[in-house]
Amino acid sequence: MGELLSYACERPLPAGTLVRVPLGAREVLGVVWDADEAPGGLPEGTALRPVAGVLEGLAPLDLPWRRLVAFAARYYQRALGEVALAALPAHLRGLRPEQFARRLRRPTPPADAAAHTVQQSVALTTEQASACARIASEPGPFLLFGSTGSGKTEVYLRCVQEMLQADPTAQALVLVPEINLTPQLEERFAARFGASAVVPLHSGMTGPQRLRSWLAAHSGAARIVLGTRMAVFASLPGLKFIVVDEEHDPSYKQQEGARYSARDLAIWRGREQGAKVLLGSATPSLESWHASRPPTPEDPGGGRYARLHMPSRIGAGALPRVRRVDMSQQPRHAVLSVPLLAAITERVARGEQCMVLLNRRGYAPVLHCADCDWKSDCPHCSAHQVFHKTDRSLRCHHCGHTVRVPRHCPRCGSPDIRPMGRGTEQLEEQLCSLLSEVLRPDRTPVRIARIDADTTRAKGALEQQFAQVHSGAVDVLVGTQMIAKGHDFRRITLVAAVQPDGALFSSDFRAPERLFALLMQAGGRAGRDAVYMAAQGTQCEMWVQSFCPRHAVFETLRTHDYPAFAAQQLRERAQAAMPPFSHLALVRADARTQEVAQGFLSAASAAAHAAALPGLERVTLFPPVPLAIQRVANVERAQMLLESPRRAALQHFLLAWKSVLQATRHDPAHKGLIRWLVDVDPLEI
């Protein structure tokens, strides 16, 4: 493989053993790998450096884990060691053998007496029971296509429950897209199975916490691991069941380092380790939807996933009525349309909660001088600095550069500099003004709260703010997509999307899919408690303010018809030979100048054609172009798209091209090149 290093050891060590080895002047963590994958014999007279120490008391990482890491490294074009060590807890990488031994000697918390006792099991609906029965009797993988509020989480719980009861050594892996969804789901699993049976695993934990969870999973003490995308690499020797909740979410794709898809690796791992895999979503990714297509006369084989459908909400709750507002017919610069403002006022006066979605944080995207056309551009990026009114700062959301808001225009001195556009901070301020005369049923003023990345920086702030919403202490919730996913708000009866049009005109072919999913997920927060809605005597609503209210995305959203939306999008994808009907990779180059970045990509493309690399005849290499945000932190970025109708051909070519890219990288003609990387199955183009 050319990536393994050889060391001497006084005794044979089984593959998967964790060791400390010298590397240059440092001492680092290493994993003993399989002998049959080692490079050829060493040159005669080679003196091997000895292994510095073995992490005793830890069972070796098993073969399925090593195969997963090797596949991820091979498929995503990364070094084996990079993926293997990144998959281990960072705290473990810094421990010497004697420190690790002390760590293992620490007393563990007493086991929960109810750790393996199933509690609070609830009766299943007919649709839930049917889904569980198919999961139990068929091999999968499964795509659980269920409406928001249809009870997908209960299906996860019941399937895991049956698996744990059937096998006392079995383990389950439950993946969620974002950290803020982990505590909520963890509470439900802990309430059902006992706290000591469930461990979290995500980047929001401290190093010692992550190590503790990883060791519990590796030893089999933890029956259930619940975490974000990083948890797909958890060592689970008894793995029998994998759940990927909200499988459509782009957060499952790692965007730094090894750019893997945790969802796709979960499918691969399930097949290799004999574990059933359940993907769940109300708006599945088009790739998963296509992979779960039923057989037809034209396509007798159908897809490779089994599709399970749960269209009904629990308790006969209705999906929200979608109301579209043509903003071209509203007063210019209106924040909320007149009918939407009236609807929010009426809901608050009845004691109901409303949610207003704007997927852009800050006060305004840019400050602008009307006299000389100056804009608050970032000096280090080809992007604007966002105006944050709370701390009177201009902040770049790409490189983090922050300055105080100037008192006058830096270019012409005019004091007339004004914000352009709108973010959640401004929307909150304007809602406070528009609803200032509105009273709740107890005759107290309306209470408005904002949840976004700026208001949840402090530790525990996110949980505290969500608790306020659940308790009814908030009447109108303003936020970004953070508030739209997975939260079970029981008293929200109206959801409004105030500015969704930007995604309709994006250059990214996935933008309509993402917008539809976001709006469907947001709308699903309304009317989740059928009993409460019946007591209120009203129907839940979703309002969409748009200058293009008749767009196909909003037409299918109006009827909550995801299958129709998916069919229309898949027809367009097939005509354009886009995924899932083709397979893509991006090669990106970062350099001091755009000319160097694009020159490197052009030279690498020319070298591939000159060498007639294997697989090239089935791969199209497009010319290099700048990224949409082409400069970040004074680094110019360019990309080149690769497309192939066959995944195997693309992989074959990338494997052969890697050495050409490395050779091109060292060509003196490309001085100034900082880095290059390959992104297989990219989500953003």
Side-chain angles (χ1 to χ4, degrees):
M1 296 175 66
E3 300 172 346
L4 299 179
L5 301 176
S6 297
Y7 290 88
C9 188
E10 297 177 352
R11 57 187 174 93
L13 296 175
T17 301
L18 292 177
V19 295
R20 300 289 299 181
V21 294
L23 184 65
R26 298 177 298 146
E27 190 178 285
V28 298
L29 182 69
V31 183
V32 177
W33 216 252
D34 302 82
D36 57 356
E37 296 186 15
L42 297 171
E44 187 176 350
T46 300
L48 298 180
R49 302 179 72 179
V51 168
V54 179
L55 272 62
E56 303 285 359
L58 186 69
L61 296 158
D62 60 14
L63 179 60
W65 186 90
R66 301 195 304 274
R67 286 177 55 81
L68 171 69
V69 168
F71 169 78
R74 184 171 62 251
Y75 184 82
Y76 293 106
Q77 304 297 315
R78 309 299 295 192
L80 177 63
E82 176 189 6
V83 177
L85 293 182
L88 297 172
H91 198 64
L92 181 64
R93 291 176 238 158
L95 294 179
R96 296 181 57 81
E98 59 274 15
Q99 294 172 318
F100 182 71
R102 287 197 299 270
R103 172 65 183 78
L104 291 181
R105 287 197 296 268
R106 292 178 186 172
T108 57
D112 187 347
H116 306 303
T117 303
V118 175
Q119 300 175 347
Q120 302 176 12
S121 188
V122 301
L124 299 179
T125 65
T126 302
E127 292 176 359
Q128 289 173 324
S130 175
C132 290
R134 287 192 60 186
I135 293 169
S137 60
E138 299 177 22
F142 303 94
L143 174 64
L144 180 59
F145 169 50
S147 301
T148 52
S150 62
K152 294 186 291 295
T153 302
E154 184 57 38
V155 173
Y156 306 157
L157 288 163
R158 186 60 63 92
C159 290
V160 171
Q161 170 185 328
E162 294 175 354
M163 179 270 301
L164 294 182
Q165 291 175 335
D167 185 347
T169 64
Q171 293 176 294
L173 173 62
V174 181
L175 298 178
V176 295
E178 294 185 13
I179 292 173
N180 66 66
L181 297 181
T182 308
Q184 180 178 320
L185 201 57
E186 185 182 355
E187 287 178 5
R188 293 195 61 177
F189 272 85
R192 180 68 61 88
F193 301 105
S196 63
V198 185
V199 296
L201 198 60
H202 55 78
S203 59
M205 304 167 66
T206 65
Q209 287 173 335
R210 285 171 59 182
L211 178 58
R212 189 181 307 117
S213 291
W214 187 88
L215 289 173
H218 178 68
S219 66
R223 304 294 302 280
I224 303 166
V225 171
L226 197 156
T228 51
R229 60 175 177 260
M230 66 184 320
V232 76
F233 287 110
S235 176
L236 291 157
L239 184 63
K240 296 297 180 185
F241 200 85
I242 303 175
V243 174
V244 184
D245 189 28
E246 308 292 358
E247 65 86 30
H248 67 277
D249 198 288
S251 297
Y252 283 120
K253 182 67 186 290
Q254 170 75 10
Q255 294 297 340
E256 298 292 337
R259 301 192 168 206
Y260 62 88
S261 166
R263 179 197 64 202
D264 296 346
L265 287 181
I267 293 289
W268 191 92
R269 185 173 189 179
R271 185 182 70 239
E272 287 293 307
Q273 206 161 338
K276 292 189 177 183
V277 181
L278 174 60
L279 312 178
S281 177
T283 54
S285 63
L286 290 180
E287 287 82 359
S288 296
W289 184 257
H290 182 68
S292 67
R293 65 192 183 279
T296 62
E298 298 79 19
D299 183 16
R304 62 187 186 277
Y305 300 172
R307 186 184 298 171
L308 313 174
H309 194 193
M310 296 199 319
S312 305
R313 275 189 152 186
I314 297 294
L319 289 169
R321 175 190 177 189
V322 177
R323 306 186 65 169
R324 297 169 291 176
V325 180
D326 187 347
M327 293 304 289
S328 65
Q329 304 301 314
Q330 297 297 314
R332 191 177 182 187
H333 303 307
V335 181
L336 298 181
S337 61
V338 174
L340 174 55
L341 186 61
I344 292 177
T345 300
E346 181 182 344
R347 299 274 177 174
V348 172
R350 286 201 302 264
E352 300 172 13
Q353 292 176 313
C354 301
M355 189 174 89
V356 183
L357 176 70
L358 175 59
N359 204 21
R360 176 183 289 154
R361 62 190 175 99
Y363 189 87
V366 61
L367 283 184
H368 173 249
C369 174
D371 292 343
C372 70
D373 203 33
W374 170 86
K375 295 182 179 65
S376 56
D377 294 330
C378 176
H380 309 297
C381 306
S382 52
H384 301 308
Q385 287 184 295
V386 177
F387 172 40
H388 291 259
K389 188 175 182 180
T390 302
D391 58 1
R392 300 293 299 174
S393 69
L394 292 174
R395 193 179 310 154
C396 178
H397 291 174
H398 297 278
C399 72
H401 179 72
T402 303
V403 297
R404 297 288 295 171
V405 173
R407 296 183 179 274
H408 50 76
C409 175
R411 181 185 296 168
C412 71
S414 170
D416 189 21
I417 51 176
R418 300 180 180 180
M420 293 181 63
R422 184 178 296 115
T424 51
E425 192 180 326
Q426 183 180 168
L427 180 60
E428 178 191 22
E429 177 184 276
Q430 293 171 328
L431 278 170
C432 289
S433 175
L434 292 169
L435 302 176
S436 60
E437 303 298 323
V438 178
L439 299 178
R440 306 172 67 248
D442 60 3
R443 312 308 296 170
T444 58
V446 63
R447 296 169 297 190
I448 300 172
R450 170 168 56 97
I451 296 181
D452 56 26
D454 295 321
T455 64
T456 56
R457 290 179 179 175
K459 185 176 179 60
L462 184 64
E463 293 79 2
Q464 181 182 0
Q465 291 182 337
F466 278 136
Q468 291 178 342
V469 180
H470 287 295
S471 69
V474 173
D475 302 306
V476 180
L477 175 62
V478 180
T480 58
Q481 62 182 353
M482 291 176 66
I483 65 175
K485 305 175 184 178
H487 303 290
D488 193 18
F489 301 128
R490 309 304 292 177
R491 292 175 53 193
I492 285 182
T493 61
L494 182 148
V495 172
V498 299
Q499 205 172 14
D501 289 355
L504 300 178
F505 309 104
S506 169
S507 59
D508 190 342
F509 71 93
R510 297 184 193 272
E513 177 185 1
R514 289 203 187 104
L515 175 61
F516 187 86
L518 177 61
L519 294 180
M520 281 281 286
Q521 292 288 330
R525 300 315 104 202
R528 297 178 70 87
D529 191 331
V531 175
Y532 177 76
M533 294 304 302
Q536 294 298 107
T538 59
Q539 182 182 0
C540 56
E541 294 179 327
M542 180 176 189
W543 291 68
V544 178
Q545 295 189 159
S546 172
F547 286 93
C548 308
R550 299 296 175 185
H551 192 280
V553 170
F554 302 137
E555 288 287 350
T556 49
L557 179 71
R558 182 178 62 85
T559 55
H560 305 282
D561 195 349
Y562 173 81
F565 170 80
Q568 178 262 333
Q569 286 289 304
L570 286 171
R571 284 194 298 270
E572 293 185 5
R573 298 271 186 98
Q575 293 169 359
M578 288 292 187
F581 304 100
S582 67
H583 304 280
L584 305 179
L586 280 176
V587 180
R588 203 182 88 186
D590 296 351
R592 296 302 178 191
T593 66
Q594 189 66 214
E595 291 74 19
V596 170
Q598 292 194 35
F600 166 76
L601 295 175
S602 296
S605 177
H609 285 90
L613 295 179
L616 181 60
E617 67 281 359
R618 303 296 302 274
V619 177
T620 301
L621 280 70
F622 291 89
V625 295
L627 270 71
I629 307 295
Q630 70 178 55
R631 180 168 54 94
V632 172
N634 294 322
V635 173
E636 294 285 341
R637 309 184 302 168
Q639 64 183 12
M640 178 165 42
L641 179 66
L642 286 71
E643 180 184 77
S644 175
R646 295 187 60 83
R647 190 188 306 273
L650 181 60
Q651 282 289 318
H652 199 195
F653 171 75
L654 288 173
L655 181 63
W657 198 29
K658 182 185 288 188
S659 60
V660 174
L661 285 163
Q662 291 171 341
T664 308
R665 164 74 174 88
H666 297 294
D667 190 325
H670 308 301
K671 184 179 181 181
L673 183 70
I674 298 172
R675 68 182 71 88
W676 62 270
L677 59 87
V678 178
D679 187 359
V680 180
D681 300 333
L683 288 188
E684 296 182 1
I685 298 178

